[in-house]
Amino acid sequence: VQLVESGGGLVQTGASLQLSCAASGFTFGDYAIGWFRQAPGQEREGISCIGRNDGSPFVRSSVKGRFTVFSDNMKQTTYLQMDSLKPEDTAVYFCAVAKRRTCPPFIGGPQQYDFWGQGTQVTVQV
């Protein structure tokens, strides 16, 4: 399994970014894919999860309404669309795969995911 994130960068408050997670090495859709972020000195926190057997993606309440997640099965890529970015969104963003078709409850913690990408830095300036 290989996951490659891209799309991070340095933006101003209120800007948008779209992160991509290109997946390979497994049948896309067979596993749940999550997005996490980790700010300096903070624990890694789950942002969203999309699973084949879930009705709709799960999104963390603190970013709901600003962040959306969707997948393109043909491209084997999952996207995290981030709008109205705030300085507190500054973090390294990771995508991860859990070897299950449904997302762990409430997105789950990092320990419930089996494979990780290298991360992409998102910095939001005031």
Side-chain angles (χ1 to χ4, degrees):
V1 173
Q2 186 173 17
L3 303 170
V4 179
E5 301 100 333
S6 61
L10 173 65
V11 296
Q12 301 296 313
T13 296
S16 297
L17 280 175
Q18 186 179 85
L19 306 184
S20 301
C21 173
S24 61
F26 65 100
T27 301
F28 195 79
D30 274 0
Y31 295 156
I33 299 178
W35 281 98
F36 286 76
R37 69 183 180 186
Q38 188 166 21
Q42 303 292 318
E43 292 186 353
R44 193 168 295 190
E45 65 176 11
I47 297 298
S48 69
C49 182
I50 185 167
R52 178 175 181 173
N53 289 350
D54 295 315
S56 58
F58 297 99
V59 179
R60 186 181 187 90
S61 58
S62 62
V63 300
K64 210 167 188 176
R66 299 191 297 122
F67 290 13
T68 55
V69 62
F70 58 97
S71 291
D72 184 332
N73 290 344
M74 292 294 290
K75 294 182 178 180
Q76 297 194 140
T77 300
T78 296
Y79 301 90
L80 180 66
Q81 176 66 39
M82 305 186 296
D83 299 318
S84 302
L85 283 163
K86 304 175 181 179
E88 51 263 43
D89 295 318
T90 295
V92 178
Y93 284 72
F94 301 88
C95 62
V97 163
K99 292 194 292 184
R100 48 187 291 166
R101 289 193 172 186
T102 57
C103 293
F106 306 107
I107 301 175
Q111 70 280 4
Q112 293 172 279
Y113 289 76
D114 303 287
F115 303 99
W116 291 82
Q118 82 287 353
T120 185
Q121 176 70 47
V122 172
T123 303
V124 185
Q125 289 185 329
V126 175

